[in-house]
Amino acid sequence: ALLLQPLTEQHDIVKQIQKHHQPEFLLSDIEKGLKNKEFIPYFQPQINLTTGHLHGVEALVRWHYGGKVVMPDSFLPVIESNQLILPLTLTVIEQTLEQMLRWQQAGLPELQVSVNLSAAYLDQLNLASLMPDLLKKYAVRPEQITFEITERIALDGENQSSLDAITRLRLKGFYLSLDDFGTGYSSLAQLNQLPFNEIKIDKSFVLRMLSSPISEAIVKSSISLARQLGVRCVAEGIETREIEEFLVSSGCDIGQGYLYSPSLPGSRFTEWAITYQE
Ligand code: C2E
Ligand code: CA
Ligand code: CA
Ligand code: CA
């Protein structure tokens, strides 16, 4: 049956091949790739679990390198440890804004767009002052953009300037999401330190929710925590209808996962969204 389906990144067989054939590249390949726009955001839909309507997308970067599509886990660590996160983040944001304009021209409803931020060098990136010009150029409002923040940034006292950089984004009207919620990187203490609008439950819990009572408890308590704080709750890693139904009945607001679609290049996302709406 597998051979009859188009191969996409969610298939285990693809994951295995990717694991055992790690693409080889040099730092200079990454630098060249950044200049040549080989780092491309793909887009994964987020669904409003209450209405079933398309809510938005998360931008997930891919590297088109040597005829292959390289996944972020294999190049992000290299990028982060070589101070290349600034050009990477800017190229992802600018291409995402370009895409939003195209979706609008294609007649899609207005989408909430999430962009991942690495904690490293966030203060140097100075997004709060760069974003207004970019938004003007593409006619996007700050409330359409959610920044997802993963790392232990808020717990790290030395990171006060990155904390300030994130707070400035919120003050400018952008939304903030606490990514990977429930893992060691992101926890209750962080909620206290930053003005988050959204909790994003890590996929490790969502994937195991129906087989592990602990994962189920973490998912349920995250949802109820979001409720009590009055913030949006997003579950990623929804692969089956059963899990979707459980999340709907538990009151989770937004869902994301292979059940709906893997991440797609912008133009393919347009086609997906048009078909989804029909
Ligand atoms: P993340 O932000 O936690 O993103 C969710 C990951 O889960 C993505 O992996 C996505 O493809 C995958 N995923 C989505 N739905 C499902 C599902 O139903 N089942 C399973 N098993 N997985 C699912 P991806 O695209 O490989 O990204 C890995 C990580 O790389 C991201 O984790 C994020 O931390 C980072 N990343 C991706 N794009 C960017 C970017 O533009 N900038 C920064 N700084 N980090 C990024
Ligand atoms: Ca994310
Ligand atoms: Ca996550
Ligand atoms: Ca992650």
Side-chain angles (χ1 to χ4, degrees):
L2 186 60
L3 292 175
L4 297 175
Q5 294 169 15
L7 279 181
T8 55
E9 61 188 65
Q10 77 252 47
H11 284 110
D12 280 346
I13 189 160
V14 175
K15 278 194 228 148
Q16 272 170 28
I17 291 168
Q18 281 169 345
K19 215 174 267 166
H20 296 296
H21 297 269
Q22 282 290 352
E24 299 199 356
F25 51 80
L26 304 168
L27 181 57
S28 59
D29 296 323
I30 292 188
E31 288 168 336
K32 253 181 266 165
L34 282 166
K35 288 201 184 84
N36 298 339
K37 286 213 175 164
E38 293 168 9
F39 290 87
I40 317 250
Y42 278 38
F43 303 95
Q44 186 177 33
Q46 297 187 328
I47 305 299
N48 180 320
L49 291 176
T50 313
T51 62
H53 294 160
L54 178 59
H55 166 80
V57 293
E58 177 179 8
L60 293 158
V61 69
R62 304 289 181 258
W63 181 16
H64 288 193
Y65 173 64
K68 295 201 181 73
V69 178
V70 187
M71 303 298 280
D73 286 339
S74 62
F75 61 80
L76 270 180
V78 184
I79 290 211
E80 284 175 351
S81 54
N82 289 281
Q83 306 221 16
L84 293 171
I85 197 69
L86 310 186
L88 178 85
T89 308
L90 289 179
T91 190
V92 167
I93 290 177
E94 180 131 31
Q95 292 180 72
T96 298
L97 293 171
E98 269 168 39
Q99 207 42 253
M100 290 171 82
L101 195 59
R102 276 187 228 124
W103 290 330
Q104 195 197 324
Q105 287 160 353
L108 295 191
E110 187 174 296
L111 299 170
Q112 185 69 38
V113 175
S114 293
V115 174
N116 290 283
L117 291 184
S118 295
Y121 309 108
L122 249 187
D123 47 336
Q124 292 174 37
L125 182 58
N126 207 359
L127 273 182
S129 37
L130 289 173
M131 287 305 290
D133 282 347
L134 281 173
L135 292 190
K136 205 179 276 173
K137 184 168 167 194
Y138 296 100
V140 168
R141 288 170 291 106
E143 307 81 51
Q144 290 174 263
I145 312 278
T146 300
F147 288 111
E148 297 191 0
I149 294 138
T150 313
E151 281 151 84
R152 219 184 316 240
I153 179 159
L155 294 177
D156 187 346
E158 293 158 34
N159 244 334
Q160 187 59 43
S161 53
S162 292
L163 259 170
D164 292 347
I166 293 173
T167 306
R168 274 201 294 278
L169 286 171
R170 180 70 200 108
L171 291 172
K172 293 259 172 174
F174 298 96
Y175 288 133
L176 302 179
S177 175
L178 189 48
D179 206 351
D180 297 345
F181 192 75
T183 70
Y185 289 106
S186 151
S187 65
L188 291 174
Q190 291 191 295
L191 280 171
N192 235 347
Q193 297 186 350
L194 285 168
F196 286 106
N197 308 90
E198 179 182 292
I199 287 174
K200 195 156 183 190
I201 308 171
D202 194 66
K203 64 172 180 284
S204 59
F205 307 114
V206 176
L207 288 167
R208 275 184 243 134
M209 208 169 68
L210 300 182
S211 54
S212 147
I214 292 178
S215 297
E216 179 185 333
I218 291 172
V219 170
K220 279 186 169 164
S221 57
S222 303
I223 294 170
S224 101
L225 181 69
R227 270 276 160 86
Q228 289 176 53
L229 296 174
V231 302
R232 205 155 59 193
C233 179
V234 182
E236 67 179 15
I238 304 179
E239 295 187 353
T240 65
R241 278 294 162 214
E242 290 90 325
I243 290 192
E244 181 195 51
E245 277 161 22
F246 184 99
L247 289 164
V248 169
S249 67
S250 307
C252 186
D253 304 305
I254 311 286
Q256 180 181 347
Y258 296 153
L259 173 65
Y260 312 107
S261 171
S263 61
L264 302 169
S267 57
R268 280 187 54 210
F269 175 80
T270 311
E271 293 161 20
W272 180 91
I274 289 167
T275 314
Y276 182 81
Q277 285 175 300
E278 278 164 0

